[in-house]
Amino acid sequence: MKKIYVTLLISMLAIFIVACGSDKPETSKTNANEDVTQEDVKQEEVKSESKEITVKHLLGETTVKTLPEKVAVFDMGSLDTLDKLGVESVVAVPHDGLPTYLNKYEGTTENAGGLKEPDFEKLAAVAPDLIIISGRQAESYEELSKIAPTIYMGVDTSKYMESFEQNVTTLGEIFGKEDEAVKELGNVEKSIEELKTTVNPEKTGLILLSNGGKVSAFGPNSRFGIIHDVFGVKAVDDKLEVSTHGNSINFEYIVEKNPDYLFVVDRDAVAGDGAAAKTTIENDLVKGTKAFKEGNIVYLDPSYWYLSGGGLESVQEMVHEISEGLK
């Protein structure tokens, strides 16, 4: 009789254990469903945080929805900044003209056409939520605005830092990266202040663009004028006309001005259609200048200076290159 009771007790215990065990998967399944639901709620909350802001820029005012999911970027400085801020919604850029340090976008985005000739059909197919442009696309502003809200983010070189900081702040607001933008701007400003303490106010500099064996000079308030206006290097000629393509000069002009430093941007290095800058610049005439004799010809990376000026990384690298060049 005892054996029967023992057997029944063991059977009941086994049934109880199995029942408890069978509850666990159901509990896990329920929790999983709850987790998915919570994640969906979080995503909806993020979407609901999107708002409309009005962006004032050189070409007008544009109403923009924040947190855009698909963005086409033509301004390389803005692409630089978005990359630095960790924005992942860039879906289209011009593949021809990408700076080398941003060439990863060639494999992850649609080709939006040329820097001066956007592919309107491709852009319409991509259907971006926002298009970001600068000077090279200014003539296409109205046409691009028909496809999506379009903002001009080129840097105003007459007030470089104010314009640069405003652009970064605006992009931070649009993409929900305000804190990151403030932090990165702080890093840039600190680097600039450190650079300025090393600049000799008596030493002069001249900025040159080398292009196909020809040379143009740039002064204060120009596209490369940050060297004078912000970093504090004294211009050997502060009467140079402010022009997108600079002032065409001959080598006798360089000898006449005889700067302590020559800062050279090699356009041929990114365009690939002419003689190398070093060959062009370091001729017999220039070898007679103080800059050459003292080893102060500084060749600047055109990826930062010519293609993507005005970005968080490019401006930081500009500071670094001038700092190294002045040592």
Side-chain angles (χ1 to χ4, degrees):
M1 197 70 168
K2 287 183 179 179
K3 291 183 178 180
I4 295 175
Y5 287 140
V6 171
T7 301
L8 287 172
L9 182 59
I10 292 173
S11 299
M12 292 174 65
L13 182 60
I15 292 171
F16 177 77
I17 291 172
V18 170
C20 289
S22 64
D23 285 341
K24 290 181 180 179
E26 290 298 320
T27 301
S28 299
K29 185 176 180 180
T30 302
N31 289 340
N33 288 336
E34 289 177 354
D35 289 342
V36 170
T37 302
Q38 289 172 0
E39 183 63 29
D40 289 342
V41 169
K42 288 179 181 178
Q43 291 179 358
E44 288 303 318
E45 287 177 349
V46 169
K47 290 180 181 179
S48 67
E49 291 174 1
S50 177
K51 59 184 180 180
E52 286 191 348
I53 62 173
T54 299
V55 177
K56 296 181 180 180
H57 52 87
L58 182 65
L59 303 181
E61 295 185 4
T62 303
T63 300
V64 174
K65 286 188 177 180
T66 61
L67 307 179
E69 296 180 358
K70 295 192 297 181
V71 186
V73 185
F74 286 87
D75 175 49
M76 294 297 106
S78 294
L79 182 62
D80 168 312
T81 293
L82 296 180
D83 187 68
K84 190 73 173 179
L85 294 177
V87 173
E88 298 180 350
S89 53
V90 178
V91 296
V93 301
H95 289 180
D96 184 17
L98 277 172
T100 53
Y101 71 101
L102 295 175
N103 62 12
K104 69 180 183 182
Y105 288 96
E106 187 172 351
T108 61
T109 64
E110 294 288 341
N111 188 353
L115 284 172
K116 292 187 176 181
E117 297 179 351
D119 186 333
F120 298 108
E121 291 184 6
K122 177 66 68 64
L123 288 170
V126 170
D129 304 309
L130 175 67
I131 300 174
I132 302 174
I133 68 171
S134 54
R136 293 182 176 96
Q137 306 83 39
E139 292 183 358
S140 301
Y141 173 70
E142 295 296 336
E143 194 68 23
L144 290 169
S145 296
K146 295 176 183 178
I147 298 173
T150 302
I151 56 176
Y152 181 99
M153 288 279 105
V155 175
D156 181 349
T157 58
S158 68
K159 48 182 181 179
Y160 200 105
M161 288 305 294
E162 180 183 341
S163 178
F164 160 64
E165 291 173 358
Q166 181 59 55
N167 286 349
V168 172
T169 300
T170 297
L171 292 174
E173 183 179 4
I174 292 173
F175 292 92
K177 299 285 186 178
E178 293 96 328
D179 292 343
E180 293 89 336
V182 169
K183 178 182 177 181
E184 295 297 339
L185 283 172
N187 292 337
V188 173
E189 290 168 0
K190 181 180 178 181
S191 297
I192 291 174
E193 290 307 311
E194 291 174 353
L195 165 59
K196 288 165 70 173
T197 64
T198 69
V199 175
N200 185 334
E202 301 304 318
K203 298 285 187 177
T204 60
L206 177 64
I207 309 165
L208 303 176
L209 177 71
S210 177
N211 180 21
K214 298 180 180 180
V215 180
S216 299
F218 294 79
N221 296 320
S222 69
R223 65 188 300 185
F224 309 124
I226 186 174
I227 293 174
H228 303 308
D229 307 322
V230 180
F231 301 162
V233 178
K234 184 178 180 180
V236 74
D237 184 355
D238 58 6
K239 299 296 191 295
L240 286 168
E241 180 184 352
V242 177
S243 170
T244 301
H245 302 291
N247 297 253
S248 180
I249 61 168
N250 54 33
F251 296 104
E252 285 79 7
Y253 169 85
I254 300 174
V255 174
E256 176 192 343
K257 295 302 179 182
N258 198 22
D260 295 290
Y261 289 89
L262 282 175
F263 301 100
V264 182
V265 180
D266 185 359
R267 181 185 181 278
D268 299 315
V270 289
D273 57 1
K278 189 176 179 69
T279 302
T280 301
I281 298 298
E282 296 184 20
N283 55 45
D284 290 339
L285 285 172
V286 175
K287 286 180 179 179
T289 64
K290 288 185 292 185
F292 179 85
K293 291 178 179 179
E294 296 173 10
N296 290 333
I297 299 181
V298 184
Y299 292 94
L300 305 172
D301 189 334
S303 288
Y304 301 119
W305 293 84
Y306 187 78
L307 293 178
S308 64
L312 276 171
E313 183 169 350
S314 62
V315 173
Q316 187 70 275
E317 286 301 315
M318 289 175 180
V319 177
H320 174 73
E321 288 196 333
I322 299 303
S323 296
E324 290 297 308
L326 295 178
K327 288 182 179 179

